[in-house]
Structure formats: C-alpha cells, structure tokens
Amino acid sequence: MRVLLEKMKNISESVIAIVTATSVIIGVLLAIYNGIYRLNQTVTSVVKAIPLLEEHNRFLEITVDYDIYLAESQLNEKGGIDMLLMRKLVQYESELALTSEQLNNIKYLKSKSKYYQ
C-alpha cells in the first residue's frame, strides 16, 4: 500500500511538472505571437503611411522651389529679399534634405541678401 502511494505521489509530481512546463511553453509562444502580431500592425501602418509621406515630400519640394523663385524675383525686382522669406529659406537649408541645386540657390540668395552677409 505504501509503495502504491509513493508511486502515485511520484506520478502526480511528474504530471504537475509536465503541466507546468507545458504552461510555460504555451505562455512563451503566446508572447512571441503577440509580439509578431504587434510588429505586423506597425509595419502595416508604416507601409500605408509611405504614400502619404511621398506626397508630402513632393509638396514640400514644390514649396521650397516656389520660395526660391519668389526670393529670386524679389532680388531682381527690388534689389533685396524680404527678411521673413530669407529666414524661411535658411530654415529650409538647416532642417530639410534639399537637392544640391536648391542648396546652391539658397547660398547664392544668402550672399546677395542684405540681411545675411
């Protein structure tokens, strides 16, 4: 009888260990799945945002080009550039990734502007 009780005790301890290990493995797998799911959501939202960012960059490039053109027009017509417009161009130069042509135009305008000599 005693031997039977010890065998049952050993079996129950083994079953508890197996259930615990299985629970831990399932918990880890669920955590990994949850992480992959959230990563997938993030990637999906980034992929959806890329066309919007590209459209914004095209609009921003048009704005920079227009402001450069406006500054050149003011320089030719009035012999100077409005200080607010020149500040805006200098801000573009420091904050945006501009093309080399845009950078050269802004540098030229800064050299010709009476506000930035």
Side-chain angles (χ1 to χ4, degrees):
M1 184 74 161
R2 181 166 245 210
V3 173
L4 184 61
L5 287 174
E6 283 184 29
K7 284 183 181 181
M8 287 180 63
K9 181 181 173 188
N10 288 340
I11 291 172
S12 66
E13 288 175 355
S14 297
V15 169
I16 290 173
I18 291 171
V19 169
T20 304
T22 304
S23 298
V24 168
I25 291 172
I26 289 173
V28 169
L29 290 175
L30 285 174
I32 291 171
Y33 174 79
N34 189 26
I36 291 172
Y37 178 75
R38 287 179 188 252
L39 182 64
N40 186 35
Q41 283 182 324
T42 303
V43 169
T44 302
S45 64
V46 167
V47 167
K48 287 180 182 177
I50 287 174
L52 296 174
L53 293 173
E54 289 175 350
E55 190 67 28
H56 175 72
N57 285 341
R58 275 190 238 126
F59 175 74
L60 191 58
E61 190 170 329
I62 291 169
T63 302
V64 171
D65 288 339
Y66 176 76
D67 288 341
I68 290 172
Y69 170 77
L70 185 60
E72 288 173 347
S73 298
Q74 287 181 3
L75 184 64
N76 291 335
E77 292 172 5
K78 300 176 184 176
I81 301 171
D82 182 53
M83 184 171 29
L84 293 175
L85 180 58
M86 198 63 220
R87 284 184 185 168
K88 192 175 179 184
L89 290 173
V90 170
Q91 185 178 6
Y92 287 154
E93 183 182 32
S94 64
E95 293 179 0
L96 301 177
L98 301 176
T99 64
S100 61
E101 181 182 354
Q102 290 170 333
L103 287 172
N104 289 336
N105 286 338
I106 291 174
K107 287 177 186 175
Y108 169 77
L109 292 169
K110 279 170 57 176
S111 69
K112 294 297 180 180
S113 171
K114 62 184 177 181
Y115 299 111
Y116 291 95
Q117 289 184 351

